[in-house]
Amino acid sequence: MEILNYINGQLQPALSGSWLDNYEPATAQVYGRLPDSGAEDVAAATISAKAAFPAWAKTPVGERARLLNRLADLIERDLDKLAAAESRDQGKPVALATRMDIPRAVDNFRFFATAIQHFASESHHTDGAAINYTLRQPIGVVGCISPWNLPLYLFSWKIAPALAAGNTVVAKPSEITPATAYLLCELCIEAGFPAGVLNIVFGLGPKVGQAMSEHPDIPAISFTGGTLTGATIARTAAPMFKKLSLELGGKNPNIIFADADYDKALNSAVRSSFTNQGEICLCGSRLLIERSIYERFRSDFVAKVKALTVDDPITNPDLGAIVSQPHFEKVLSYIQLAQEEGGKLLTGGKAVKVSGRCEKGWFIEPTVFENLPNSCRTNQEEIFGPVVTLIPFDTEAEALAMANDTVYGLAAQLWTENLSRSQRMSSALKFGIVWVNCWLLRDLRTPFGGAKASGVGREGGWDALKFFTEATNVCIRY
């Protein structure tokens, strides 16, 4: 599969003529190539986006919505093709991409196509002497940088509100998982998007992402990815006074009280630990379990984890392949670290050899540890793989203290049938999202993002449309 940049409505290679290999995680084999783009490609994309902005910003909201809905229609039409491409590129089971990733991309475009048509300006009467009204106007050219774990899902989560609000976009998908972003380029052409409205530049973060962060004509950056990369972007963009939305890492607690609905908590814990090979920033990697049910829960949890299948993604196992060799080695290094820190391995802990076409692929068993203090590196650093730890607690206060004792603050789960406790804990947990008796139940109208080292700003609903617009207050005295 040969992937090309999408600049000014045209598909083209990098201006340098250089290429990067694209690997299939399940086989560890190169199956395509993508442009090794650089600052010159970002400059060309920005020129294109800047030229297209005035007309796109003046395009009636209904027409912008029609194009976004048309794109959603085409994604829906090609769901099976896109799901297969996502699975091959990322390593996730085809069934997961079919059930979650691609339908969510459709939802993202449809949601913001509708939302922009209801995005109202505010007005305020001032002491009977004046009226103030606030305009929400598109910023101009915005930069969108998305990660490799949910490629089209999170790519669309950024570009849909940016385009809906009237901005033009220079976007960079992850160089590790470029396939569905490229297929989206082809669908944008089919949908009839004006040239330059959306530009997609493929390549490495230190070259393409850095060039976007540095470019003076890209005044806003929306980034989802690792905390260290987010810090690098902030160091570059903040002194230039760019608007920044940074959705970063997490080390999320899953707090299970003895009064929880046991079966629901148990089944959800398995799902939230290992969905997408644990490569979701919202996965619960620290299971905090009330001591009175700890032994029973540990036994039942480990039994369910041992029953999970790891196999070729096209066979629809529970877990597919790890996304890349460097990440595969990183996850294995954390498994080794957990053992060095004194962790007791309850199940997993090894690479998996899959026969047939996947014999060289990057697969890891779902892995569970206990006997590790909350303060150790294994419980403090984001592993982003199929590795979780079990930690008992005695009191609500102890559970709260351990949950909050991390530099991250993205998402927490809380399992209890005690209404008062759920309210106390939810307000005291220092996380951007708290799920009570559920996980990954999303309403696209709600603010999404994290606290502390998990990010800056919020995405979703009005928060996304406000980020991608500038407020202008107009005061008229009468």
Side-chain angles (χ1 to χ4, degrees), residues 58-71:
K58 293 177 181 177
T59 298
V61 168
E63 175 62 11
R64 280 188 246 141
R66 184 193 69 79
L67 284 167
L68 291 173
N69 274 316
R70 173 61 177 151
L71 187 56

Side-chain angles (χ1 to χ4, degrees), residues 157 432-433 442-449 458-464:
W157 183 234
I433 303 163
R442 292 282 294 121
D443 185 321
L444 302 190
R445 296 170 295 182
T446 60
F448 180 91
R458 293 292 183 270
E459 299 179 332
W462 301 137
D463 291 85

